[in-house]
Amino acid sequence: MIYKLSKNADGFCPDVRRLLSQLDDADLYYQDYHLMHPADVFTSIFDEVVESGEQLAKKYLSFISNHRTSISNEHSVESLKTDISHFLFSLSNFIAGCRSIIKSLFKKDSKESNKVLREFNKTIKNYTDYVSKMINYVKHRHRIIRSFKATWEDKMIIGYYIEGVVQKGAIGPDPDIHKDSKCAISLNRDIPFHLGNVYFVSAALKTIVSKNFEDNKEISSSEDDTKIFKLLSMVSDIPRYYFPDEIKKKWIRVYAEDKDNKSVLIELDSKKKPDNFSPHILDINLSFKVGVRNRTLVPPYFYGVGKLKC
């Protein structure tokens, strides 16, 4: 599936926002749920994703640029973990907000509302399970986000993992979330992956809304989407370098075809190979903090080292 976004067409914001902006208060039940109008809910949750995504992508590209030119970075990549956390939480809030929008289309506790929500949740299940598990582990099981960098030549991958218990006394990438305790998540793959899925979830929401309300296309949203294009353009510049276990995974491509005329493609299942498809050596650099009882670290991608004891 490919989303073609253009300033000359419908802009860069998901179509559903325009559709939601047409809905009349008399046809909605959002006040019964103590919510804002669905168009305002969508705008707030989508803008939050854009703002946190832009902050993360901007810092990431700065790290990459400085590494290429051998300029010392002002901050450690560990400082990115706060931006990663904000981005992930904005995505969780986006999903929850879309569900609230669906509820506000129907009378409270109606069978139709429950039926439509089940349909929506089934459509987006694979993605929401992925996001929800990480957020739940961070919020309710007190896991920690750890960011780190992998370099070779003038190239860099910044990644992160959700730190959990690998075995008694040992911490590392939580095996409940990652493929195994040696794996992590590259921001190179993760940022485009989430943005592509935001558009996918938005399209699923639009399908629900369209079934219940007429789509009057001559009414357009007046919202400025300059920030959205800026984010998409920055994500397009992120190199397609992935960690070893990600090389053959499905990945999402965000590609700014024409930055001058503002045209972007989002390809949900790209067939192009990653740029580091051939095997190569990675130098891993990470910081960690040992606990009172957990005194051993199982680092990601240190296949020959094993465990570091402190």
Side-chain angles (χ1 to χ4, degrees), residues 9 15 24 28 35 87 90 100 143 149 174 180 185 214 250 266 270:
D15 289 343
D24 193 281
L28 303 171
L35 296 170
F87 186 50
S90 76
S100 293
R143 300 301 196 248
K149 67 179 179 180
D174 196 310
D180 58 47
I185 300 168
E214 183 180 354
K250 290 183 179 180
I266 300 179
S270 179

Side-chain angles (χ1 to χ4, degrees), residues 69-108:
T69 55
S70 300
I71 297 175
S72 177
N73 284 296
E74 183 181 355
H75 301 289
S76 164
V77 294
E78 190 180 22
S79 66
L80 279 175
K81 68 181 183 182
T82 299
D83 300 289
I84 295 168
S85 176
H86 288 169
F87 186 50
L88 292 176
F89 273 82
S90 76
L91 294 162
S92 178
N93 190 48
F94 179 80
I95 294 166
C98 288
R99 288 170 174 153
S100 293
I101 288 171
I102 292 174
K103 288 180 181 179
S104 70
L105 304 178
F106 304 94
K107 289 181 179 180
K108 207 166 186 179

